[in-house]
Amino acid sequence: MESMDLAASFCFFGGIQSMKNWVLLRKGGNFTELGKRFGIRPRTAALIRNRDIIGEEAFDRYLNGTIADLYDGMLMKDMDKAVDLLKEKIVEKQSIRIIGDYDIDGVNATYILLEGLKGLGAEVDYDIPDRVRDGYGLNIDLIDRALDDNIDTIVTCDNGIAAREEIAYGKSMGMAVVVTDHHEVPYEEYEDGTRGYLIPPADAVVDIKREDCLYPFKGLCGAAVAYKLVEALYNAMGRDPEDVDYLMENVAIATVGDVMDLTDENRIFVKQGLEMLKRTKNPGLAALMECTGVHTDRLSAYHIGFVIGPCINAGGRLDTARRALELLCAKTKKEADLLAGDLKALNDSRKNLTEEAVKEAVVQVETTGLKEDKVLVVYLPKCHESIAGIVAGRLRERYYKPVFVLTKAEEGAKGSGRSIETYHMYDELSRCKDLLTRFGGHRLAAGLSLPEEKILSLRKKLNENTTMTEEDLTEKVVIDMQLPLCEITEDFVQELSLLEPFGKGNTKPVFALRKLLFRRGRVIGKNQNVLKLEVEDADHTTMDAIFFGDLETFFSCLSQKYGPDAKDHLLYGRGNPILMDVTYYPGINDYMGRRTLQITILDYR
């Protein structure tokens, strides 16, 4: 990667000066030959290469990967043990309980195991911890509840890897335990820098993050691991695994909702799952899409991440995750419609709570010494603990720093963290575990609990330990290529859809233009928060443009560069011409049957 001529973009967000580094990708390859081989433009081939896809075989898998290209779940460490044990329990009609998690991944993983095991005739039920009462993952109370119900076997999903003591207790009480998870394996770090990994004493521990697991793709979510177990069980019991292909729509929802990289297998899962979701036979999912106004013909990963997913998560945040699982299990339209409406209402409430908490957090950062920290630790005692992760994510976007948001819990403080690419959140928490009562997670997200009086010590230690530089804390705007407006055609825009589904790890292509002339504009939208523009590039090609960002900040930036009349010039044709460098994505505006090319401006300087 190399920087463009003007490396830094200065804009103001609520009084904060944010410096971004615009970086232009330059990755080599014979794009003409690749274009011919796959029937695409050389430019499209270059975009795919920019996503670290190298060689014809990888290109073919990226463009044409199908269910047949998914890896064999039996390659996972302990999958054979899990399959043998569960096969025996199913045949013997022993009672099995699935213990999931209260988020979108855990709920879908629970549903996948429930459906899969029921389809094999298992005596199976489920339990999902309450976020406030039980906390994350397996605990003694959940095991005692299972013992009281004469449960023989526990299968965890999206949790369990960190529950060594709890699993040891269950085993001591005569239970069989199978762990399916995708989180980091806890470890002890020795003086010589080596690590001793702490695998729980379950009968089988299926976790792709195990150091001794040779599965070729380590980026699966918990629901995908659960799906692999179901698929392997069907094979072992002489059933056709294609019978459970429909559960791939749940894997897709969990993969996007849990913000996994849309690469390798995940790309196939989401691509196939979205197609299945468009014609889903699940009454609950159909009702939720109808209730939230999602049109199945235009369904994309965006709708899972920002419309459907938050509603599924809302149950576990403000009520109980059982409500979301009941939606997935609903058998009638009447039941599904009722549950979908409840979840949408809960999500609307969650949005309001989030806005209030974000405002409070920003005031705290701006008016205290927190602003100078490289790692933000924000304590919001009155914040609902279920939205701590969302608030942390919003603060991370605003300040481009790792953020932990802590709330007051029944015992001490509890919270969630969201990170940036250059900061491994789980590893950094591991270095502070003497201050924590519990923690777990990934590189980019984590959950933690600690005594309230140790919050300041945690903040101090995290910041003392960090080796992040100013460069690490400078947000990068990665640009795929510079593209003049004359190169944008309907065919090219259509071809870009071959790169979908877009999301983390497979972002929408970003194009750039230098010295784009803003000829005229107008503010539109129900809330007057969208800017519609007519723009012209250096080759004198004109096109419509749309900008959905913060208009107050945008006009403030214009005034600083072009003077106080800049806004008047843009909206009313008065003042000096406005030239800006922009990043953008091309599209087609289909309004009342009239199709016109249009760019969406993403960033500017």
Side-chain angles (χ1 to χ4, degrees):
M1 295 194 299
E2 62 184 57
S3 296
M4 294 181 71
D5 293 347
L6 301 172
S9 171
F10 296 91
C11 286
F12 290 83
F13 297 92
I16 302 165
Q17 190 179 53
S18 168
M19 185 166 70
K20 298 179 183 180
N21 193 22
W22 284 23
V23 180
L24 182 64
L25 286 173
R26 292 194 189 277
K27 296 191 176 182
N30 191 336
F31 303 129
T32 301
E33 283 302 312
L34 284 167
K36 287 179 181 176
R37 165 72 176 81
F38 293 102
I40 56 179
R41 290 169 170 76
R43 181 172 280 115
T44 307
L47 293 172
I48 294 171
R49 173 65 186 88
N50 279 355
R51 277 133 192 82
D52 292 322
I53 309 300
I54 303 170
E56 287 195 7
E57 185 178 338
F59 260 71
D60 189 42
R61 183 178 173 85
Y62 181 89
L63 288 167
N64 306 310
T66 66
I67 295 172
D69 296 304
L70 296 173
Y71 305 120
D72 184 355
M74 292 301 289
L75 295 171
M76 292 182 188
K77 180 71 175 176
D78 276 10
M79 183 64 88
D80 54 344
K81 294 180 183 178
V83 167
D84 289 345
L85 185 146
L86 290 174
K87 180 180 176 182
E88 179 184 318
K89 300 298 182 183
I90 292 169
V91 170
E92 293 177 356
K93 293 293 181 182
Q94 297 284 358
S95 54
I96 300 169
R97 174 161 293 173
I98 302 156
I99 297 182
D101 186 28
Y102 42 67
D103 72 354
I104 189 169
D105 190 14
V107 167
N108 279 281
T110 303
Y111 177 72
I112 287 167
L113 288 176
L114 193 64
E115 281 283 293
L117 291 174
K118 278 183 177 178
L120 293 169
E123 297 289 329
V124 61
D125 66 6
Y126 69 88
D127 200 353
I128 294 181
D130 180 272
R131 184 187 287 266
V132 177
R133 187 180 66 247
D134 297 311
Y136 168 77
L138 195 60
N139 61 42
I140 299 297
D141 286 344
L142 289 167
I143 293 172
D144 282 339
R145 291 209 295 255
L147 288 168
D148 290 343
D149 292 337
N150 296 314
I151 298 296
D152 176 86
T153 303
I154 283 176
V155 182
T156 74
C157 53
D158 194 32
N159 77 92
I161 195 63
R164 291 178 75 217
E165 293 179 10
E166 293 83 355
I167 289 170
Y169 171 69
K171 292 294 297 173
S172 74
M173 300 301 288
M175 302 184 88
V177 181
V178 174
V179 170
T180 73
D181 205 345
H182 73 125
H183 289 97
E184 301 283 353
V185 181
Y187 59 83
E188 293 178 338
E189 194 153 14
Y190 305 125
E191 289 184 5
D192 62 359
T194 60
R195 293 176 177 181
Y197 289 93
L198 307 174
I199 303 294
D203 296 270
V205 179
V206 183
D207 187 330
I208 46 172
K209 296 289 173 58
R210 288 183 61 161
E211 194 179 31
D212 55 355
C213 179
L214 301 179
Y215 195 74
F217 181 58
K218 299 288 188 178
L220 297 177
C221 66
V225 177
Y227 177 84
K228 293 286 181 177
L229 173 57
V230 168
E231 195 176 42
L233 260 174
Y234 269 64
N235 265 323
M237 297 188 72
R239 293 281 298 278
D240 188 348
E242 289 186 10
D243 290 350
V244 290
D245 277 356
Y246 70 97
L247 294 173
M248 212 170 290
E249 62 191 23
N250 298 93
V251 177
I253 291 169
T255 300
V256 175
D258 214 32
V259 200
M260 309 308 292
D261 284 345
L262 299 190
T263 58
D264 204 298
E265 267 195 314
N266 285 346
R267 178 172 169 79
I268 296 172
F269 272 132
V270 175
K271 200 172 184 179
Q272 298 290 330
L274 281 169
E275 288 305 311
M276 293 175 177
L277 201 51
K278 288 176 181 178
R279 53 182 186 277
T280 185
K281 294 181 180 176
N282 184 295
L285 291 175
L288 190 56
M289 287 188 284
E290 183 181 350
C291 176
T292 53
V294 173
H295 298 287
T296 53
D297 58 330
R298 295 198 293 272
L299 182 68
S300 70
Y302 167 85
H303 297 104
I304 294 176
F306 294 95
V307 184
I308 300 167
C311 290
I312 294 175
N313 264 331
R317 293 190 190 284
L318 300 184
D319 184 21
T320 168
R322 291 173 179 272
R323 195 181 293 268
L325 191 54
E326 286 167 4
L327 175 80
L328 296 178
C329 295
K331 300 301 180 188
T332 66
K333 188 176 188 308
K334 183 178 179 181
E335 181 188 8
D337 286 344
L338 184 64
L339 288 164
D342 288 348
L343 287 173
K344 183 181 182 300
L346 282 170
N347 190 48
D348 290 340
S349 298
R350 188 272 309 163
K351 289 178 185 176
N352 294 331
L353 289 173
T354 300
E355 291 304 323
E356 292 170 10
V358 169
K359 286 178 185 175
E360 184 185 347
V362 168
V363 168
Q364 189 178 135
V365 173
E366 293 294 318
T367 58
T368 67
L370 283 176
K371 193 175 176 182
E372 307 307 316
D373 289 354
K374 290 183 176 180
V375 182
L376 295 180
V377 178
V378 181
Y379 184 39
L380 303 173
K382 294 180 181 179
C383 174
H384 197 292
E385 67 181 58
S386 68
I387 61 171
I390 301 174
V391 177
R394 293 276 291 274
L395 294 178
R396 175 197 58 193
E397 290 171 12
R398 184 183 180 97
Y399 296 102
Y400 199 70
K401 293 179 178 181
V403 181
F404 293 93
V405 171
L406 302 172
T407 67
K408 195 174 185 65
E410 289 183 7
E411 295 181 7
K414 187 177 177 183
S416 294
R418 296 294 182 267
S419 195
I420 58 178
E421 290 292 340
T422 51
Y423 187 84
H424 197 301
M425 195 155 263
Y426 180 82
D427 282 355
E428 295 300 323
L429 282 178
S430 296
R431 298 168 69 189
C432 302
K433 61 184 171 186
D434 57 310
L435 300 172
L436 307 173
T437 51
R438 197 167 189 177
F439 73 99
H442 311 283
R443 168 184 285 276
L444 294 176
L448 67 159
S449 302
L450 73 164
E452 192 174 1
E453 64 272 15
K454 292 187 177 179
I455 293 174
L456 286 176
S457 299
L458 177 67
R459 174 192 165 193
K460 184 179 178 183
K461 193 166 184 178
L462 286 169
N463 278 282
E464 286 176 349
N465 285 347
T466 186
T467 57
M468 285 188 299
T469 64
E470 287 305 316
E471 185 180 353
D472 292 331
L473 291 164
T474 302
E475 185 175 0
K476 290 181 175 65
V477 176
V478 179
I479 297 164
D480 281 281
M481 61 182 63
Q482 297 182 68
L483 185 70
L485 297 179
C486 63
E487 296 290 338
I488 300 171
T489 64
E490 277 204 40
D491 287 345
F492 178 62
V493 172
Q494 194 63 40
E495 195 167 283
L496 289 177
S497 66
L498 296 175
L499 279 63
E500 294 181 12
F502 296 127
K504 183 173 176 288
N506 187 56
T507 54
K508 271 189 174 184
V510 176
F511 301 97
L513 274 168
R514 284 194 179 94
K515 297 181 179 178
L516 186 66
L517 175 65
F518 287 16
R519 294 176 59 173
R520 62 179 64 86
R522 55 195 173 97
V523 177
I524 61 171
K526 181 180 176 183
N527 299 315
Q528 292 288 287
N529 59 350
V530 178
L531 184 62
K532 181 89 172 179
L533 296 158
E534 183 183 316
V535 296
E536 180 180 331
D537 67 7
D539 296 329
H540 305 296
T541 303
T542 60
M543 193 170 288
D544 287 341
I546 196 94
F547 177 64
F548 295 100
D550 185 332
L551 295 192
E552 186 177 340
T553 300
F554 175 79
F555 288 126
S556 173
C557 285
L558 285 188
S559 297
Q560 289 173 42
K561 173 68 177 176
Y562 291 102
D565 296 333
K567 181 177 178 180
D568 283 347
H569 166 69
L570 190 61
L571 300 182
Y572 310 112
R574 297 194 295 268
N576 297 318
I578 294 169
L579 291 169
M580 300 194 84
D581 296 342
V582 302
T583 63
Y584 73 91
Y585 185 80
I588 297 169
N589 180 27
D590 193 345
Y591 180 68
M592 296 182 68
R594 182 170 174 263
R595 293 167 63 85
T596 54
L597 291 167
Q598 174 179 276
I599 63 169
T600 298
I601 294 174
L602 307 173
D603 204 0
Y604 56 87
R605 63 183 187 187

